[in-house]
Amino acid sequence: MPAIRANSVLPARRQAITLHTADGLALVGELAVPVDREPVATLVCLHPLPTHGGMMDSHVLRKAAWRLPALAGLAVLRFNTRGTTSVRGTSEGTFDAAGAERFDVAAAIEYAEFAELPAIWLLGWSFGTDLALKHGCDPAVQGAILLSPPLRFAGPDDLAGWASAGKPVTALVPEFDDYLRPATARERFAAIPQATVIGVEGAKHLWVGDAETVLDEVVRIAAPDVPVPLPREWDGPMETGDAAAYADRTVAAFADVPVPDGL
């Protein structure tokens, strides 16, 4: 049986979408849903820092959209926050350091609601975790799954909001993260009594080589009836995605780019 590789694209119904924000911007995105069944839950993906290559196609989010509709029955909604570019296109507006991005998060949640997608979970990665914590504690949201949370922008009031709401929060924290490692993460997320911090041995901030571990945990949380670990092989139609399109979005490409003030 063929192995599922980094650029494997499993079957799904995929459509380009446009999100419309309350402050008048159009954001580009994609919705992927299972081919042969209704989705069991929904992931609204919030990408890493766009000033350093983050976008809707950052590799873990891309792999979620390419695999999870088929392997786990999940709907996966990805989009570029304001001013962010990917192969899908460029969203209107400019990067606002987690400020005006509140409108972007709200637009994505609203789209999922209007599309009658079930059980909406926020899946944030790095900068996207700050967006989830600051702007995602919405009545329509089931909970948040946070990958490599740096807690740069999200403050005590944001954590208190999630604590008060009682919604589940799970943080996957790499052992060798550049910004927040497991022991410190447990201390800081103690402000949310229901939060779970999972330290991932050997992993780093960008999850290179650990995407399968991340996707297994995401499915365990958002679709608990689906057995994990997920299959590593696929006996069915499978296409190959063009990962070469992102050669200019690697860590090395941004090694000399200063992080914006306040980050």
Side-chain angles (χ1 to χ4, degrees), residues 135-224:
H135 307 309
C137 195
D138 184 278
V141 168
Q142 299 289 309
I145 305 168
L146 311 176
L147 312 179
S148 307
L151 291 177
R152 283 196 189 104
F153 297 104
D157 289 347
D158 303 310
L159 302 183
W162 283 89
S164 177
K167 296 176 182 290
V169 174
T170 300
L172 272 63
V173 181
E175 179 183 8
F176 301 117
D177 193 84
D178 298 292
Y179 306 103
L180 188 71
R181 296 191 175 184
T184 305
R186 291 187 179 95
E187 293 175 2
R188 297 189 65 182
F189 276 102
I192 306 176
Q194 73 275 18
T196 300
V197 174
I198 300 173
V200 181
E201 183 177 353
K204 297 183 180 180
H205 189 76
L206 298 179
W207 301 104
V208 175
D210 290 297
E212 286 73 22
T213 299
V214 170
L215 296 182
D216 284 345
E217 285 297 326
V218 168
V219 169
R220 183 185 62 79
I221 295 162

Side-chain angles (χ1 to χ4, degrees), residues 13 33-40 68-74 226 234:
R13 288 187 287 119
V33 299
V35 169
D36 54 354
R37 51 186 159 156
E38 293 297 313
V40 298
L68 298 188
L71 295 180
L74 291 171
V226 176
W234 178 256

Side-chain angles (χ1 to χ4, degrees), residues 124-141:
W125 178 9
S126 192
F127 173 70
T129 68
D130 280 313
L131 296 187
L133 290 169
K134 285 184 69 65
H135 307 309
C137 195
D138 184 278
V141 168

Side-chain angles (χ1 to χ4, degrees), residues 5 72 121 141 147 242 246:
R5 303 190 182 279
W121 287 83
V141 168
L147 312 179
D242 181 13
Y246 305 105

Side-chain angles (χ1 to χ4, degrees), residues 34-121:
V35 169
D36 54 354
R37 51 186 159 156
E38 293 297 313
V40 298
T42 305
L43 301 176
V44 171
C45 300
L46 305 172
H47 60 69
L49 192 65
T51 58
H52 282 62
M55 56 177 167
M56 61 180 277
D57 284 335
S58 292
H59 82 99
V60 173
L61 307 184
R62 183 171 77 235
K63 289 166 184 170
W66 285 357
R67 301 180 194 178
L68 298 188
L71 295 180
L74 291 171
V76 181
L77 189 160
R78 299 176 294 148
F79 69 100
N80 287 331
T81 57
R82 57 190 58 218
T84 302
T85 298
S86 71
V87 169
R88 169 73 179 85
T90 300
S91 290
E92 294 177 351
T94 57
F95 173 71
D96 194 46
E101 282 85 359
R102 67 184 182 276
F103 298 118
D104 306 355
V105 176
I109 295 169
E110 182 179 73
Y111 186 98
E113 283 190 279
F114 285 168
E116 298 184 338
L117 297 172
I120 301 168
W121 287 83

